Amino acid sequence: MISLAVAAVLVGAATLVRLVLNGALGALSPFMLYVAAVLAAGLARGPFCGVLVMAAGGAIGWRLFLSPGGVIHPGAAPALLTFWAVSSLVLVTANELRVQLKVAMDRLASALERSGRRP
């Protein structure tokens, strides 16, 4: 439930910022802020939350920025597929960072415990 809420907040924030910047950006990089949201979700809550952001960001980005009024921009499908490919790699990297951070923190806690100090 928390991951769902985090995903909703991240997608909402990315969408809001993208809408504010829409005049300056136009059709340029409709998903760039959603990639950042995928990274944040992956780091904060893990892969499930990141996948939720990928799905929602793709759907909202498609509707608002690539097919406004039902007219699909040329190159919309490749843009969406590229977003999902890049976001997948970002999510794998974020998950690896989470795993490595946990290992490092466990080692630190163990070393502190052996030295007689508490973390």
Side-chain angles (χ1 to χ4, degrees):
M1 200 63 156
I2 293 173
S3 290
L4 185 60
V6 169
V9 167
L10 288 170
V11 170
T15 301
L16 182 63
V17 171
R18 182 62 173 86
L19 284 170
V20 168
L21 296 175
N22 198 41
L25 297 176
L28 181 66
S29 301
F31 297 109
M32 68 181 168
L33 295 173
Y34 294 115
V35 173
V38 168
L39 175 61
L43 290 173
R45 296 293 304 165
F48 177 71
C49 188
V51 169
L52 290 174
V53 172
M54 282 175 55
I60 292 171
W62 176 273
R63 179 67 183 108
L64 290 179
F65 309 115
L66 294 178
S67 64
V71 178
I72 299 173
H73 285 277
L80 180 61
L81 293 174
T82 301
F83 163 65
W84 282 337
V86 169
S87 292
S88 296
L89 295 173
V90 165
L91 195 52
V92 167
T93 303
N95 191 56
E96 182 62 24
L97 286 171
R98 281 175 53 92
V99 168
Q100 293 300 323
L101 181 59
K102 181 176 181 342
V103 168
M105 293 305 290
D106 289 346
R107 286 182 183 166
L108 177 60
S110 177
L112 289 173
E113 189 175 296
R114 282 192 309 269
S115 71
R117 297 181 186 156
R118 289 193 170 149

